[in-house]
Amino acid sequence: MAQSGNASPVIETSDLSLTFETGDGPVHALSGVSLTIQKGDFVSLIGPSGCGKTTLLRVIADLEQPTEGAISINGMSPHEARLKRAYGYVFQAPALYPWRTIGKNIALPLEIMGFSKSEQAERVRKGLDLVNLTGFEKKFPWQLSGGMQQRASIARALSFDPDLLLMDEPFGALDEIVRDKLNEQLLRLWEKTQKTVVFVTHSIPEAVFLSTKIVVMSPRPGKIHDVIDCNFPADRTLDIRETPEFLDVANRVRQGLREGHSYVD
Amino acid sequence: MLNALWHGKTLPVLAVSAVLAVLWYMGSIWLNADMQRDAFSNAGKTDFTTSELIAGTWSQERPKLPTPGQILVELNKTILDTAPTSKRSLVYHGSVTISATLLGFLIGSLLGMGLAVLVVHVKSLDRSLMPWVVASQTIPIIALAPMIVVIMNQFDITGIVPKAVIAAYLSFFPVTVGMVKGLRSPDPLQMDLMRTYSATRLQTFLKLRVPSSIPFLFASLKVAVAASLVGTVVAELTKSEDGGFGARLLAGSYYGQTIQIWAALFAAAGCAWVLVTLVGVADRVVTKAMGARP
Ligand SMILES: Nc1ncnc2c1ncn2[C@@H]1O[C@H](COP(=O)(O)OP(=O)(O)OP(=O)(O)O)[C@@H](O)[C@H]1O
Ligand SMILES: [Mg+2]
């Protein structure tokens, strides 16, 4: 699609494998994963539970070390990229610090990265506005619903404006309506900022709506089953979910997921 | 009204206190009766009634077990009716004990926290230091206290400091153990978050480990402040010339002044209760500021 004029790989993995040595034998969380993600791509990882989506994201983020294969982020090792604060990570759980207010939680990365106090305040305000939490700045996490907490964690990951966003089922805990709304907001944000996004989801419509590339994964060992390109116009709205083209891609994803499953049984 | 009392703490506490008091008075009769009979026969009095005997057991000068009433009278006399500067005043002795307790608590807490920080951050110290910390508490303090006093005396360190050191010896331990646990309490996800920001060790320490450790710290501080008071009293048994509850206990047992011993014991327990409560209040204030659920 027309998103990336001068495409350069942001993430490049070749034959990436990761085996966890556990008490009851090795777990092959990733096996032979080769994937190239260009600047400005919106890549969704979809697949059944336990197929290694989180693990792949954690390898990209240098939170987990691959046992085999190569990976580079912006031409650097994940470790160097992490030290350069190349990415923002939204975890599967909100992981807010309970002793910090919502505002202070969003300011956490800014404090660590040494933003000025006024800059912090401004960014926190913008972040709260973006995820519709204005007015909750002074509340503590336990005073918010799970979905609101997750939105706060999204604002936190965006607060320092990283070029690469790694999002692990960020909308999993939200109801359908809020989810739709945040999907559209995320799309607008991506369109506006040209960020590269790697996005884990269990929802086929969500993946098709948001992505330029859908990576279908299959479990045991976790590997890439299919990569489906998906180039809807950048200014799309939720309405396209009714179009035949959309349903066509969605069907291909569903087909891929089915094959991945039957592969095991 | 009665219902509220019963479901609140007041009535159960009162009921238990009343039962204890009754048992106590009966215990006094039982333990002091022999001596009372001797006293009557020495005075040539043979035709005493049971009620005279009981009244006697409750009003001896040096009973084996004084009654709560006698202890209260003694407390009243030595706290309210004696000038606080007098060596007979429990307020005077209390202030001596409390000042050493607080100094010891301060030293012990700082030492305990320092050790915890080292143990958590230096891998080799976890294995090499922790066993010593544990071993230090296996030596009975009553055996150690005189040695500490003598050795410090050798270096011309006298007065409040040796007592505070003994108090600190007892109080650093719970702080170290609690704080190590607290500093290690952040869950893996909270730690991962810091990694994604490539936070420095110092930042992770200040913004994650320390706040996580606060509830653990306060739980240990409550134990530590009580241990500190015990340590001070033990030190005062060795080093009784400066006064303090320990000196008062020692003098009381030397002269067989059981009422005085019990009064000093109760005063010490009261002080410990106040100190633990104060730490509890500080705990509540801090955790509230840190957004704990009410
Ligand atoms: N730290 C670990 N130690 C051992 N095994 C692990 C560890 N982390 C993940 N695994 C295993 O690796 C496999 C992949 O896990 P992963 O969390 O990546 O799955 P996922 O695709 O994110 O699943 P879900 O959709 O449920 O989040 C699973 O079988 C899991 O049990
Ligand atoms: Mg996962």
Side-chain angles (χ1 to χ4, degrees), chain B residues 127-156:
Chain B
R127 255 163 294 147
S128 58
L129 202 60
M130 239 9 220
W132 285 103
V133 168
V134 175
S136 75
Q137 302 300 304
T138 61
I139 308 168
I141 189 69
I142 195 92
L144 203 61
M147 291 194 274
I148 293 179
V149 170
V150 168
I151 290 171
M152 294 192 81
N153 208 8
Q154 203 63 40
F155 294 100
D156 281 335

Short mmCIF file of all heavy atoms in Angstrom, two decimals, chain B residues 127-156:
data_model
loop_
_atom_site.label_atom_id
_atom_site.label_comp_id
_atom_site.label_asym_id
_atom_site.label_seq_id
_atom_site.Cartn_x
_atom_site.Cartn_y
_atom_site.Cartn_z
N ARG B 127 24.30 -14.57 49.25
CA ARG B 127 24.72 -15.87 49.77
C ARG B 127 25.68 -15.73 50.95
O ARG B 127 25.71 -16.54 51.84
CB ARG B 127 25.33 -16.71 48.66
CG ARG B 127 24.36 -17.81 48.21
CD ARG B 127 24.77 -18.37 46.87
NE ARG B 127 24.66 -17.36 45.83
CZ ARG B 127 25.47 -17.29 44.77
NH1 ARG B 127 26.46 -18.13 44.64
NH2 ARG B 127 25.27 -16.37 43.86
N SER B 128 26.51 -14.67 50.93
CA SER B 128 27.55 -14.58 51.97
C SER B 128 27.08 -13.83 53.21
O SER B 128 27.49 -14.13 54.32
CB SER B 128 28.80 -13.91 51.40
OG SER B 128 28.46 -12.62 50.91
N LEU B 129 26.20 -12.85 53.03
CA LEU B 129 25.83 -11.99 54.15
C LEU B 129 24.63 -12.54 54.91
O LEU B 129 24.58 -12.51 56.14
CB LEU B 129 25.54 -10.59 53.62
CG LEU B 129 25.63 -9.46 54.64
CD1 LEU B 129 27.02 -9.39 55.23
CD2 LEU B 129 25.30 -8.13 53.96
N MET B 130 23.63 -13.02 54.14
CA MET B 130 22.37 -13.40 54.76
C MET B 130 22.55 -14.45 55.87
O MET B 130 21.94 -14.32 56.94
CB MET B 130 21.41 -13.91 53.68
CG MET B 130 20.09 -13.19 53.54
SD MET B 130 19.83 -11.69 54.45
CE MET B 130 18.15 -11.91 54.96
N PRO B 131 23.38 -15.49 55.66
CA PRO B 131 23.56 -16.47 56.75
C PRO B 131 24.08 -15.81 58.03
O PRO B 131 23.68 -16.19 59.12
CB PRO B 131 24.59 -17.44 56.17
CG PRO B 131 24.47 -17.30 54.71
CD PRO B 131 24.11 -15.87 54.45
N TRP B 132 24.95 -14.82 57.90
CA TRP B 132 25.47 -14.14 59.08
C TRP B 132 24.38 -13.34 59.78
O TRP B 132 24.31 -13.29 61.00
CB TRP B 132 26.63 -13.21 58.70
CG TRP B 132 27.88 -13.98 58.41
CD1 TRP B 132 28.39 -14.25 57.18
CD2 TRP B 132 28.74 -14.61 59.36
NE1 TRP B 132 29.53 -15.02 57.29
CE2 TRP B 132 29.76 -15.24 58.63
CE3 TRP B 132 28.73 -14.70 60.76
CZ2 TRP B 132 30.77 -15.95 59.24
CZ3 TRP B 132 29.75 -15.41 61.37
CH2 TRP B 132 30.76 -16.03 60.63
N VAL B 133 23.56 -12.70 58.96
CA VAL B 133 22.45 -11.93 59.53
C VAL B 133 21.56 -12.85 60.36
O VAL B 133 21.17 -12.52 61.48
CB VAL B 133 21.64 -11.25 58.40
CG1 VAL B 133 20.34 -10.69 58.94
CG2 VAL B 133 22.46 -10.15 57.74
N VAL B 134 21.28 -14.03 59.80
CA VAL B 134 20.43 -14.98 60.53
C VAL B 134 21.17 -15.49 61.77
O VAL B 134 20.62 -15.54 62.87
CB VAL B 134 20.02 -16.15 59.61
CG1 VAL B 134 19.25 -17.20 60.39
CG2 VAL B 134 19.18 -15.63 58.45
N ALA B 135 22.45 -15.83 61.58
CA ALA B 135 23.23 -16.37 62.70
C ALA B 135 23.30 -15.37 63.85
O ALA B 135 23.27 -15.76 65.03
CB ALA B 135 24.63 -16.72 62.23
N SER B 136 23.36 -14.09 63.52
CA SER B 136 23.49 -13.07 64.57
C SER B 136 22.35 -13.17 65.57
O SER B 136 22.51 -12.84 66.74
CB SER B 136 23.53 -11.69 63.94
OG SER B 136 22.23 -11.30 63.50
N GLN B 137 21.19 -13.63 65.11
CA GLN B 137 20.04 -13.65 66.00
C GLN B 137 19.93 -14.93 66.81
O GLN B 137 19.05 -15.09 67.64
CB GLN B 137 18.75 -13.45 65.19
CG GLN B 137 18.75 -12.16 64.40
CD GLN B 137 18.87 -10.93 65.28
OE1 GLN B 137 18.09 -10.72 66.19
NE2 GLN B 137 19.89 -10.12 65.01
N THR B 138 20.85 -15.89 66.54
CA THR B 138 20.78 -17.13 67.30
C THR B 138 21.53 -17.02 68.62
O THR B 138 21.39 -17.86 69.48
CB THR B 138 21.36 -18.30 66.48
OG1 THR B 138 22.73 -18.00 66.20
CG2 THR B 138 20.62 -18.49 65.18
N ILE B 139 22.36 -15.96 68.75
CA ILE B 139 23.06 -15.77 70.02
C ILE B 139 22.10 -15.08 70.98
O ILE B 139 21.53 -14.06 70.65
CB ILE B 139 24.28 -14.87 69.82
CG1 ILE B 139 25.15 -15.42 68.68
CG2 ILE B 139 25.07 -14.73 71.11
CD1 ILE B 139 26.21 -14.44 68.24
N PRO B 140 21.90 -15.63 72.18
CA PRO B 140 20.99 -14.98 73.12
C PRO B 140 21.50 -13.59 73.48
O PRO B 140 22.67 -13.43 73.84
CB PRO B 140 21.01 -15.90 74.34
CG PRO B 140 21.67 -17.15 73.90
CD PRO B 140 22.50 -16.85 72.72
N ILE B 141 20.63 -12.62 73.35
CA ILE B 141 21.04 -11.24 73.58
C ILE B 141 21.49 -11.04 75.02
O ILE B 141 22.37 -10.24 75.31
CB ILE B 141 19.89 -10.28 73.20
CG1 ILE B 141 20.37 -8.82 73.21
CG2 ILE B 141 18.71 -10.43 74.13
CD1 ILE B 141 21.31 -8.49 72.12
N ILE B 142 20.92 -11.82 75.93
CA ILE B 142 21.25 -11.66 77.35
C ILE B 142 22.71 -12.02 77.61
O ILE B 142 23.34 -11.50 78.51
CB ILE B 142 20.28 -12.53 78.21
CG1 ILE B 142 20.33 -12.11 79.69
CG2 ILE B 142 20.56 -13.99 78.07
CD1 ILE B 142 19.31 -11.08 80.02
N ALA B 143 23.26 -12.92 76.74
CA ALA B 143 24.67 -13.29 76.88
C ALA B 143 25.56 -12.26 76.21
O ALA B 143 26.69 -12.00 76.62
CB ALA B 143 24.90 -14.67 76.25
N LEU B 144 25.03 -11.67 75.15
CA LEU B 144 25.83 -10.77 74.33
C LEU B 144 25.91 -9.37 74.94
O LEU B 144 26.94 -8.68 74.84
CB LEU B 144 25.20 -10.70 72.94
CG LEU B 144 26.11 -10.27 71.80
CD1 LEU B 144 27.26 -11.24 71.65
CD2 LEU B 144 25.30 -10.22 70.51
N ALA B 145 24.83 -8.96 75.59
CA ALA B 145 24.74 -7.58 76.06
C ALA B 145 25.91 -7.17 76.96
O ALA B 145 26.52 -6.12 76.71
CB ALA B 145 23.40 -7.38 76.77
N PRO B 146 26.26 -7.97 77.98
CA PRO B 146 27.37 -7.53 78.83
C PRO B 146 28.67 -7.37 78.06
O PRO B 146 29.43 -6.43 78.31
CB PRO B 146 27.50 -8.67 79.85
CG PRO B 146 26.24 -9.44 79.76
CD PRO B 146 25.69 -9.24 78.40
N MET B 147 28.90 -8.25 77.07
CA MET B 147 30.14 -8.16 76.29
C MET B 147 30.17 -6.87 75.48
O MET B 147 31.19 -6.19 75.41
CB MET B 147 30.24 -9.36 75.37
CG MET B 147 30.48 -10.65 76.12
SD MET B 147 30.97 -11.96 75.04
CE MET B 147 29.41 -12.59 74.50
N ILE B 148 29.04 -6.54 74.88
CA ILE B 148 29.00 -5.30 74.09
C ILE B 148 29.29 -4.11 75.00
O ILE B 148 30.09 -3.23 74.66
CB ILE B 148 27.62 -5.16 73.40
CG1 ILE B 148 27.44 -6.25 72.35
CG2 ILE B 148 27.49 -3.78 72.77
CD1 ILE B 148 26.11 -6.22 71.63
N VAL B 149 28.68 -4.11 76.19
CA VAL B 149 28.89 -2.99 77.10
C VAL B 149 30.37 -2.89 77.50
O VAL B 149 30.97 -1.81 77.45
CB VAL B 149 28.00 -3.15 78.35
CG1 VAL B 149 28.38 -2.13 79.42
CG2 VAL B 149 26.54 -3.01 77.98
N VAL B 150 30.97 -4.03 77.84
CA VAL B 150 32.36 -4.03 78.28
C VAL B 150 33.28 -3.57 77.15
O VAL B 150 34.15 -2.72 77.33
CB VAL B 150 32.77 -5.45 78.76
CG1 VAL B 150 34.28 -5.55 78.93
CG2 VAL B 150 32.06 -5.78 80.05
N ILE B 151 33.05 -4.13 75.96
CA ILE B 151 33.93 -3.78 74.84
C ILE B 151 33.81 -2.31 74.49
O ILE B 151 34.81 -1.61 74.28
CB ILE B 151 33.60 -4.67 73.61
CG1 ILE B 151 34.03 -6.11 73.88
CG2 ILE B 151 34.31 -4.15 72.37
CD1 ILE B 151 33.57 -7.11 72.85
N MET B 152 32.59 -1.81 74.47
CA MET B 152 32.42 -0.39 74.11
C MET B 152 32.99 0.50 75.20
O MET B 152 33.53 1.57 74.91
CB MET B 152 30.95 -0.08 73.85
CG MET B 152 30.43 -0.83 72.62
SD MET B 152 28.83 -0.28 72.06
CE MET B 152 29.29 1.16 71.14
N ASN B 153 32.90 0.06 76.42
CA ASN B 153 33.48 0.79 77.53
C ASN B 153 34.99 0.96 77.32
O ASN B 153 35.57 1.99 77.62
CB ASN B 153 33.20 0.03 78.84
CG ASN B 153 33.14 0.99 80.01
OD1 ASN B 153 33.17 2.20 79.82
ND2 ASN B 153 33.07 0.45 81.20
N GLN B 154 35.60 -0.11 76.79
CA GLN B 154 37.03 -0.11 76.50
C GLN B 154 37.40 1.03 75.56
O GLN B 154 38.47 1.59 75.63
CB GLN B 154 37.37 -1.46 75.86
CG GLN B 154 38.82 -1.87 76.00
CD GLN B 154 39.16 -2.06 77.46
OE1 GLN B 154 38.37 -2.60 78.23
NE2 GLN B 154 40.33 -1.60 77.85
N PHE B 155 36.48 1.37 74.68
CA PHE B 155 36.73 2.46 73.73
C PHE B 155 36.12 3.77 74.20
O PHE B 155 35.88 4.67 73.40
CB PHE B 155 36.18 2.09 72.34
CG PHE B 155 36.91 0.94 71.71
CD1 PHE B 155 36.38 -0.34 71.75
CD2 PHE B 155 38.14 1.12 71.09
CE1 PHE B 155 37.05 -1.41 71.19
CE2 PHE B 155 38.81 0.06 70.53
CZ PHE B 155 38.27 -1.22 70.58
N ASP B 156 35.83 3.82 75.51
CA ASP B 156 35.27 5.04 76.09
C ASP B 156 33.92 5.41 75.53
O ASP B 156 33.55 6.59 75.49
CB ASP B 156 36.23 6.23 75.91
CG ASP B 156 37.35 6.17 76.94
OD1 ASP B 156 37.10 5.57 78.02
OD2 ASP B 156 38.44 6.70 76.68
#
